[in-house]
Amino acid sequence: MNIGLIINTLSILLVVLIATIYFSKKRVKISESKIYQMLLISTFIGFSVNGLSFYFDIYLKEQILIRIVLIKFYYAYLLFFMSLMTLYLFSFSKKEKYQKYVVGITAMSLFLNFILPLNFIESNNDIYISGSNFIFVSLIVICSVTFW
């Protein structure tokens, strides 16, 4: 079994454990709690999509269309996670007036994610992704992290 697949599986188990503990307790109904719940759920979905992507990259390399769809959904997860994390940080810093901009940028980013092309480059049993979609998502992630 591939080490990336093992780490991904362990990550899913950790997220399930954290979510179980979090959802088993009573919480105060504030916006931070709602965003954190969405972060937990989206993280579980993101690791699941990433695990499927690992599986297809390792064992079903000839299924190019499915691999592209999985990568697009994984990129969508990254964009959505970045926007949730930005909203979560804004809720603590009392900058709610910027939330509508984050939602708008996220909607445009998700739309572009599914339109822009990406390519697989395979060499020596390694798989790389290139293309304008990869560059776009990388720039959004870098800008988001820098903005935090």
Side-chain angles (χ1 to χ4, degrees):
M1 189 175 233
N2 185 298
I3 189 71
L5 205 50
I6 292 170
I7 291 172
N8 193 70
T9 304
L10 292 174
S11 299
I12 289 173
L13 293 175
L14 181 63
V15 170
V16 167
L17 177 66
I18 292 170
T20 303
I21 292 169
Y22 178 79
F23 287 117
S24 68
K25 310 245 183 228
K26 289 201 175 230
R27 294 164 305 284
V28 179
K29 294 191 179 202
I30 54 176
S31 63
E32 290 90 352
S33 295
K34 291 178 184 176
I35 296 171
Y36 187 75
Q37 289 172 8
M38 291 183 357
L39 278 168
L40 281 174
I41 293 167
S42 71
T43 302
F44 176 77
I45 292 168
F47 281 134
S48 300
V49 169
N50 192 28
L52 279 172
S53 180
F54 266 124
Y55 182 80
F56 274 85
D57 287 344
I58 296 167
Y59 301 110
L60 300 170
K61 291 182 180 181
E62 66 279 355
Q63 301 293 330
I64 300 295
L65 181 61
I66 295 173
R67 289 169 58 194
I68 289 174
V69 169
L70 287 172
I71 291 297
K72 294 270 187 177
F73 276 113
Y74 183 70
Y75 284 173
Y77 153 72
L78 288 177
L79 294 169
F80 188 69
F81 184 86
M82 287 292 142
S83 67
L84 283 176
M85 188 59 76
T86 303
L87 290 173
Y88 190 67
L89 294 172
F90 279 172
S91 67
F92 281 115
S93 62
K94 305 298 180 205
K95 294 182 180 177
E96 283 97 12
K97 61 184 177 183
Y98 298 115
Q99 288 181 351
K100 62 183 175 184
Y101 298 116
V102 173
V103 172
I105 291 169
T106 302
M108 288 188 305
S109 298
L110 289 171
F111 177 73
L112 286 173
N113 172 55
F114 287 103
I115 291 178
L116 293 173
L118 60 87
N119 303 316
F120 287 103
I121 301 170
E122 298 183 33
S123 66
N124 299 332
N125 289 333
D126 291 331
I127 300 170
Y128 304 99
I129 298 173
S130 67
S132 55
N133 192 358
F134 171 75
I135 294 168
F136 172 73
V137 172
S138 297
L139 286 174
I140 294 290
V141 168
I142 289 168
C143 289
S144 295
V145 172
T146 304
F147 184 70
W148 296 342

